[in-house]
């Protein structure tokens, strides 16, 4: 059973920084993608940042402020968030996609709350 466990959320003032971490448990092979999405109250879940072995993509609203990193051996991913704004307030979810020759597995963490005060 694969589980993703996030940590690092919390309350921070505008302009501050937080670092989120996500670790995948279990023996996992063929991890294609790891990344982060977020969902604010009343809004749809949106892309924050995702990374594969060849590409990294950021949501437009976080470009230049957030940085994603990934350890492909440990199957972990971190999200460094700088210059935080109140509109970054959301539940942040870790995502992992595993590819086999025939199937795609999509895993999500339970989410971690990030609150940015003005």
């Amino acid at each position: 059973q694969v589980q993703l466990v996030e940590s690092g959320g919390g309350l921070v003032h505008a302009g501050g920084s937080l670092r989120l971490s996500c670790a995948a448990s279990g023996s996992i092979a063929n991890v294609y993608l790891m990344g982060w999405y977020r969902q604010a109250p009343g809004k749809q879940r949106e892309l924050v940042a995702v990374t594969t072995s060849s590409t990294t993509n950021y949501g437009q609203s976080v470009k230049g402020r957030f940085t994603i990193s990934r350890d492909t051996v440990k199957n972990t991913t971190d999200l460094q968030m700088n210059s935080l704004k109140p509109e970054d307030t959301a539940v942040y979810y870790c995502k992992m996609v595993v590819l086999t020759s025939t199937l795609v597995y999509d895993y999500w963490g339970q989410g971690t709350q990030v609150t940015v005060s003005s």
Side-chain angles (χ1 to χ4, degrees):
Q1 181 77 10
V2 174
Q3 287 189 321
L4 300 179
V5 179
E6 301 115 330
S7 60
L11 173 64
V12 65
H13 291 298
S17 298
L18 279 175
R19 187 176 184 89
L20 305 183
S21 296
C22 173
S25 65
S27 178
I28 308 162
N30 303 315
V31 177
Y32 168 69
L33 173 151
M34 292 193 78
W36 297 89
Y37 284 72
R38 69 186 182 187
Q39 188 166 19
K43 295 188 177 181
Q44 290 188 332
R45 192 170 294 190
E46 64 174 0
L47 168 72
V48 177
V50 293
T51 183
T52 69
S53 60
S54 57
T55 63
T56 297
N57 291 311
Y58 292 93
Q60 189 64 36
S61 63
V62 306
K63 283 182 179 178
R65 299 188 297 122
F66 291 11
T67 303
I68 188 171
S69 59
R70 176 184 169 188
D71 186 320
T72 57
V73 174
K74 297 180 179 179
N75 287 323
T76 60
T77 182
D78 289 346
L79 183 69
Q80 179 64 43
M81 306 185 293
N82 298 328
S83 302
L84 283 161
K85 305 175 181 180
E87 51 264 43
D88 294 317
T89 296
V91 177
Y92 284 69
Y93 296 92
C94 179
K95 174 173 179 167
M96 180 173 72
V97 176
V98 173
L99 297 181
T100 70
S101 58
T102 57
L103 295 172
V104 178
Y105 296 90
D106 205 21
Y107 299 100
W108 291 90
Q110 80 287 352
T112 186
Q113 177 70 46
V114 172
T115 302
V116 184
S117 63
S118 57

